[in-house]
Amino acid sequence: MEALDKREVPEVVLGKTLDEAAKQALLEGKETELISGFISQKTGKPFDAYLSLGDNNQIKYRFPKREPKKYENTVPSKVGGVELDEEDIEDLTAGRETKLIMGIESKKKGKTYDAYLKWSPTKGIIFRFPGQD
């Protein structure tokens, strides 16, 4: 007779204390209900996920489906710290690509770059960089 798989369930996962129902589901080899309030080690931001146990009792995360963002055709007048002129706003509103916009500042890296902009009602601003086809 083979030994049963011994499951060990942690009390706390990414800053969130697991309740008894979640621990029981994991012990039974099932997925938990959606749990809110985990804190990402990478970004420090909170997130929600379903948990299950993988091989070697490793916690596995399954994320809920995201609703697509709706931009309601709100074309911005400023992008990356650069004020767009009337012509650029008209182009975006009409679904056309703008002329090359110079000196856009990256939120993540703080560097500046140049790009052509286009507006998408489902994606927001789309950037095309010089040399991209």
Side-chain angles (χ1 to χ4, degrees):
M1 190 167 157
E2 290 182 30
L4 291 175
D5 182 349
K6 174 133 172 80
R7 295 186 182 271
E8 294 182 24
V9 177
E11 292 288 323
V12 178
V13 175
L14 295 179
K16 180 74 177 177
T17 301
L18 300 182
D19 64 20
E20 289 304 315
K23 288 191 269 188
Q24 188 63 38
L26 292 172
L27 285 170
E28 294 173 0
K30 299 176 183 174
E31 184 176 80
T32 66
E33 296 291 323
L34 181 64
I35 301 173
S36 298
F38 294 110
I39 304 298
S40 168
Q41 291 177 323
K42 190 174 185 179
T43 65
K45 294 181 180 181
F47 69 92
D48 305 337
Y50 302 90
L51 302 182
S52 61
L53 281 180
D55 297 336
N56 301 321
N57 292 324
Q58 183 177 10
I59 295 287
K60 293 172 65 176
Y61 303 89
R62 183 175 69 83
F63 303 100
K65 283 190 173 182
R66 292 185 186 180
E67 290 296 319
K69 289 183 179 179
K70 293 181 182 161
Y71 290 92
E72 300 175 21
N73 285 331
T74 308
V75 173
S77 60
K78 193 173 187 178
V79 174
V82 176
E83 197 72 40
L84 301 178
D85 63 29
E86 280 185 45
E87 181 184 345
D88 297 326
I89 294 170
E90 282 179 31
D91 286 341
L92 292 174
T93 303
R96 295 185 301 264
E97 189 173 83
T98 65
K99 65 184 178 294
L100 184 63
I101 307 296
M102 312 278 282
I104 299 169
E105 187 174 331
S106 165
K107 288 181 184 177
K108 292 181 181 177
K109 298 184 180 179
K111 296 181 180 180
T112 59
Y113 57 93
D114 305 332
Y116 302 95
L117 309 178
K118 192 168 185 180
W119 176 253
S120 164
T122 56
K123 297 179 182 177
I125 292 288
I126 298 170
F127 299 86
R128 186 175 68 82
F129 301 99
Q132 276 185 327
D133 291 327

